[in-house]
């Protein structure tokens, strides 16, 4: 993510990885990530907050039982930020995604694709049945409409 962020971040903004979170200006979380490793596969998943939800919506979320140390007991509203707020003017989400895909492909020598659609239209398990078996509980809680897939 660093090359893409270096290109698009405002000069006064800094990026770092803190306790599995992607953070701006040392304290504001804009993304989280997780990994899964099996015998022949590695999956790295990142959820990016492009725009910060309203305070009203953030107040609906429960405070998590486990929090990173750097959170310092702050509310969601004081802890989270949207990435787009820290980018140079006129950078669109599409610009960011296109650059990110190019950088990931170049760094890992992989084919990387952006898949658009709703949760029901993704098929990441490659068995051609049209079902995405990666949403284990299938309760519809995944709100992502853009996914980047890297194939090696």
């Amino acid at each position: 993510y660093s090359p893409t962020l270096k290109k698009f971040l405002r000069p006064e903004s800094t990026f770092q990885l803190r306790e599995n979170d992607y953070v701006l200006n040392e304290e504001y979380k804009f993304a989280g990530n997780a990994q899964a490793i099996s015998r022949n596969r590695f999956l790295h998943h990142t959820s990016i907050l492009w725009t910060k939800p309203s305070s009203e919506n953030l107040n609906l979320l429960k405070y998590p039982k486990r929090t990173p140390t750097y959170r310092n007991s702050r509310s969601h509203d004081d802890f989270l930020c949207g990435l787009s707020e820290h980018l140079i003017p006129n950078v669109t989400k599409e610009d960011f995604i296109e650059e990110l895909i190019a950088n990931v492909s170049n760094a890992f020598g992989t084919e990387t694709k952006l898949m658009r659609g709703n949760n029901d239209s993704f098929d990441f398990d490659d068995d051609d049945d049209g079902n995405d078996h990666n949403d284990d509980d299938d309760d519809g809680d995944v709100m992502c409409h853009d996914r980047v897939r890297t194939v090696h």
Side-chain angles (χ1 to χ4, degrees):
Y1 297 93
S2 289
T4 305
L5 289 167
K6 283 180 184 177
K7 180 175 180 176
F8 292 130
L9 272 182
R10 293 178 185 205
E12 67 273 13
S13 293
T14 59
F15 164 70
Q16 67 184 137
L17 176 66
R18 293 189 75 178
E19 301 179 51
N20 298 321
D21 295 335
Y22 294 137
V23 177
L24 294 172
N25 301 335
E26 298 185 17
E27 62 180 334
Y28 299 105
K29 178 180 178 177
F30 74 93
N33 67 79
Q35 294 77 33
I37 302 171
S38 68
R39 187 172 2 140
N40 298 320
R41 297 178 190 263
F42 173 79
L43 171 69
H44 176 88
H45 164 85
T46 300
S47 295
I48 297 174
L49 203 58
W50 184 254
T51 55
K52 182 178 174 181
S54 69
S55 297
E56 182 179 84
N57 285 338
L58 288 172
N59 288 334
L60 297 172
L61 300 173
K62 292 181 181 180
Y63 194 84
K65 292 178 183 177
R66 293 183 334 153
T67 63
T69 306
Y70 78 96
R71 184 171 181 152
N72 294 323
S73 302
R74 291 180 288 158
S75 69
H76 294 303
D77 203 24
D78 293 333
F79 176 61
L80 300 173
C81 73
L83 175 59
S84 63
E85 304 163 26
H86 295 271
L87 301 179
I88 56 177
N90 302 317
V91 174
T92 66
K93 187 165 123 178
E94 287 72 25
D95 295 336
F96 184 84
I97 291 171
E98 184 177 299
E99 185 73 16
L100 182 63
I101 288 172
N103 286 326
V104 169
S105 294
N106 290 335
F108 296 105
T110 60
E111 175 188 352
T112 304
K113 299 177 183 178
L114 173 66
M115 301 180 77
R116 293 189 179 272
N118 61 39
N119 295 328
D120 297 330
S121 66
F122 292 113
D123 184 11
F124 277 87
D125 60 2
D126 295 327
D127 66 3
D128 296 323
D129 68 358
N131 294 314
D132 177 5
H133 299 289
N134 294 324
D135 185 10
D136 294 333
D137 59 6
D138 200 30
D139 62 1
D141 60 351
V142 179
M143 298 299 288
C144 177
H145 293 284
D146 296 336
R147 293 187 184 184
V148 176
R149 181 180 188 189
T150 301
V151 181
H152 184 67

